[in-house]
Amino acid sequence: MQHLSILPILIPLIFGAALLLPPLSKHINRQRIAAIIGLFLLLISAFYLLYQVQSEGVHLYALGEWQPPFGIVLVADPVSVLLVALTSFLAFSVMLYAMNGQDKNGAYFHPLFMFQVMGINGAFLTGDIFNLFVFFEVLLIASYALLIHGGGKQRTQATLHYVILNLVGSSLFLFGLGIIYGTLGTLNMADLAVKVGSLQAENATLAKTGALLLLVVFGLKAAMLPLHFWLPKTYSSASAPVAALFAIMTKVGIYSIFRVYTVIFGEHAGALANIATPWLWPLALLTIAIGAVGILASPGLKTLTANLVIVSSGSLLACAAINSETATSAALYYLVHSTLVSAGLFLLADIMARQRGQAEDRFVRSRPFVQPRILGILFSIAALSIIGMPPFSGFIGKVMILQATQSLAESLWLWPLILLGSLAALITFSRAGTTLFWRHNGNLSTESEAAKPLELAAVILLLLASPVLVIFAGDMTTYTQEAAHYLHDFQASAYNLLPGVSP
């Protein structure tokens, strides 16, 4: 049990490597069995780790017994384990969908999928900002190959833009890390948080430059305006399982912003306290606005879902800009909701596209669905939840965000944009539902293929999160409040992670 904290990284690493070996790599059915077993084990370990952290407190795992700030550490705290559990559940559900045939469209889907999950979990668990860069690269390299999985001109073009932008982002990340290490002499997050408050004036400007470079990198990952233009085309052109898994990718950037600019450059950072807030607030609001415009202009369901991801990123960035325990708690609840529902909508869009023939997921007249009732029910649940209509989780999440505003000025800026974003989603989903389900050309085609049971099961699992988050809203909000308190508690998130160091 002492090694429980590293299992969310170790399990996908071991299974990903095993899937590259000849006994598994040449047999698709064996790969599927191995992948689903690995992800099931990951799911169990992630939720057990969540239980352990909730009952026993934070787990600090020092690799090789090298104690911080000198060694590589993993920190399983209430925030990181929640996101690891979310990633594990998402990956398991998406794999159920992919193993029905989409994993055969290209080579090495399963090992790449595992390495992607390993990188995401590692980014959430690491307590060292350099290893955050390392795990960023792991998940990005896997994502490059997954994006182009299945081939095609559109995917190749979207992947090229994605790769170029992220290579630039990786370079900026290294520059930022170099500057911070040169001024503070450490890259351990807790140690950085302790030392940044006593930074000498002559080094403060350099450290601020490094911190703002990191904000650019994290903003790129989080699809923050003006670094968001890659997302709609990239997500809408990816295969459905890849796009669904990528629903958690922007959350890695969001998490990094919360972690770095709350713990390291938060209230206790002296001259560098809250340096991200003046940038985050206007950019978050503009991200919501541009995402709402994208929603109204979306020609198809996949593009609509991608633009909804942008709006959710803007909402989460606004919570980071507010920078309070209440806002962080709201962000964590809304993050879980938006990740699972948008992933389910990506998979649902793929099922609907395959049943509509050449029209695919576009909002145009086409032949009727093979399974109109079940698809209509799932579409309605996803739409109502993302719009933020009661009694679904989107309503609770958005109310929590609205209540987190601390001043009249914040309310006057954020409330109209959140509500207008919901209105844009309501208008577009109404138009989409009317076109997709009621406006038909011709009769049902004999070539149309019904969705397989496991595909529907995967979508149901993801969308079921919305009513479940409502039923257990009391327990969930209690947990997110405790997680938010931990993140904002300088003693717990900094000093307690450095043995032998006291305030």
Side-chain angles (χ1 to χ4, degrees):
M1 289 300 100
Q2 63 178 329
H3 302 292
L4 187 62
S5 298
I6 200 173
L7 287 184
I9 300 172
L10 207 56
I11 289 174
L13 172 62
I14 292 171
F15 276 85
L19 286 163
L20 291 171
L21 300 177
L24 295 176
S25 62
K26 296 181 179 179
H27 302 276
I28 187 65
N29 288 330
R30 293 181 185 177
Q31 289 186 50
R32 290 169 174 170
I33 293 171
I36 205 68
I37 290 173
L39 291 172
F40 183 68
L41 293 175
L42 174 63
L43 187 64
I44 293 174
S45 65
F47 275 91
Y48 187 67
L49 179 60
L50 179 69
Y51 167 76
Q52 288 288 93
V53 169
Q54 192 172 13
S55 59
E56 298 180 8
V58 176
H59 288 199
L60 181 67
Y61 187 85
L63 277 76
E65 296 296 330
W66 285 87
Q67 295 301 315
F70 305 106
I72 297 173
V73 295
L74 301 177
V75 182
D77 60 41
V79 179
S80 62
V81 295
L82 173 65
L83 298 182
V84 167
L86 171 64
T87 304
S88 304
F89 178 75
L90 173 65
F92 180 79
S93 301
V94 171
M95 183 56 73
L96 284 179
Y97 187 93
M99 63 192 295
N100 288 276
Q102 296 211 18
D103 55 350
K104 296 192 299 182
N105 295 336
Y108 304 112
F109 175 85
H110 295 96
L112 288 168
F113 192 95
M114 288 294 185
F115 292 139
Q116 172 101 34
V117 172
M118 181 192 78
I120 295 170
N121 285 343
F124 289 142
L125 287 170
T126 184
D128 183 282
I129 202 167
F130 179 77
N131 287 293
L132 180 63
F133 166 77
V134 172
F135 284 116
F136 264 38
E137 294 308 299
V138 171
L139 67 91
L140 284 173
I141 290 170
S143 71
Y144 298 155
L146 284 174
L147 271 176
I148 206 170
H149 190 264
K153 181 179 178 181
Q154 187 179 8
R155 285 181 187 172
T156 303
Q157 187 180 24
T159 303
L160 181 62
H161 295 160
Y162 176 78
V163 170
I164 292 173
L165 281 172
N166 280 286
L167 288 176
V168 173
S170 297
S171 301
L172 293 177
F173 203 159
L174 280 177
F175 286 137
L177 290 178
I179 293 170
I180 289 175
Y181 184 75
T183 53
L184 291 164
T186 183
L187 290 174
N188 179 279
M189 292 185 190
D191 200 31
L192 283 170
V194 170
K195 289 183 176 179
V196 72
S198 57
L199 192 65
Q200 298 297 320
E202 59 268 20
N203 291 326
T205 302
L206 269 178
K208 182 176 182 180
T209 303
L212 292 179
L213 279 175
L214 295 185
L215 182 61
V216 172
V217 177
F218 300 151
L220 173 63
K221 302 293 187 291
M224 178 176 69
L225 186 137
L227 305 169
H228 73 289
F229 293 103
W230 59 271
L231 190 146
K233 188 172 184 180
T234 301
Y235 279 39
S236 59
S237 63
S239 65
V242 174
L245 181 62
F246 276 29
I248 194 70
M249 288 278 281
T250 53
K251 310 310 186 290
V252 178
I254 298 288
Y255 165 81
S256 301
I257 289 173
F258 272 99
R259 176 70 67 179
V260 171
Y261 298 99
T262 300
V263 177
I264 301 175
F265 300 105
E267 297 289 343
H268 303 275
L272 301 182
N274 301 323
I275 59 171
T277 301
W279 299 91
L280 280 176
W281 184 245
L283 293 176
L285 298 177
L286 289 171
T287 302
I288 298 173
I290 200 70
V293 173
I295 288 171
L296 292 172
S298 298
L301 192 53
K302 292 178 184 176
T303 306
L304 170 60
T305 309
N307 283 301
L308 287 165
V309 172
I310 293 175
V311 171
S312 69
S313 290
S315 303
L316 294 170
L317 289 167
C319 292
I322 295 171
N323 194 25
S324 68
E325 287 188 24
T326 305
T328 302
S329 174
L332 291 173
Y333 184 95
Y334 186 73
L335 186 153
V336 174
H337 146 79
S338 62
T339 300
L340 295 177
V341 176
S342 58
L345 197 50
F346 275 122
L347 299 184
L348 183 61
D350 181 66
I351 294 175
M352 296 169 74
R354 286 190 280 121
Q355 295 191 10
R356 297 182 78 230
Q358 293 182 347
E360 296 183 334
D361 68 312
R362 295 191 300 275
F363 303 145
V364 295
R365 289 177 180 269
S366 183
R367 63 194 187 198
F369 292 112
V370 179
Q371 301 162 298
R373 291 184 180 178
I374 183 65
L375 294 184
I377 292 170
L378 294 175
F379 179 85
S380 299
I381 293 172
L384 292 173
S385 184
I386 283 188
I387 291 166
M389 298 289 286
F392 295 99
S393 57
F395 174 75
I396 296 177
K398 290 186 179 183
V399 168
M400 289 176 68
I401 292 174
L402 296 178
Q403 290 179 336
T405 53
Q406 296 178 310
S407 66
L408 179 61
E410 288 179 354
S411 299
L412 289 176
W413 280 106
L414 186 59
W415 282 50
L417 285 172
I418 294 287
L419 297 175
L420 286 173
S422 296
L423 178 61
L426 174 62
I427 292 170
T428 308
F429 271 111
S430 299
R431 175 169 62 92
T434 302
T435 303
L436 294 171
F437 290 95
W438 293 345
R439 296 178 181 174
H440 301 147
N441 272 340
N443 299 319
L444 184 66
S445 173
T446 56
E447 299 177 358
S448 297
E449 181 182 353
K452 297 179 177 64
L454 276 181
E455 291 178 327
L456 290 174
V459 177
I460 291 170
L461 267 178
L462 292 170
L463 297 184
L464 194 62
S466 184
V468 168
L469 283 172
V470 174
I471 294 170
F472 297 100
D475 294 332
M476 185 64 184
T477 52
T478 299
Y479 183 89
T480 59
Q481 287 166 2
E482 293 173 356
H485 177 72
Y486 168 83
L487 200 63
H488 287 264
D489 184 351
F490 191 64
Q491 175 69 37
S493 58
Y495 282 108
N496 289 359
L497 302 180
L498 296 170
V501 178
S502 58

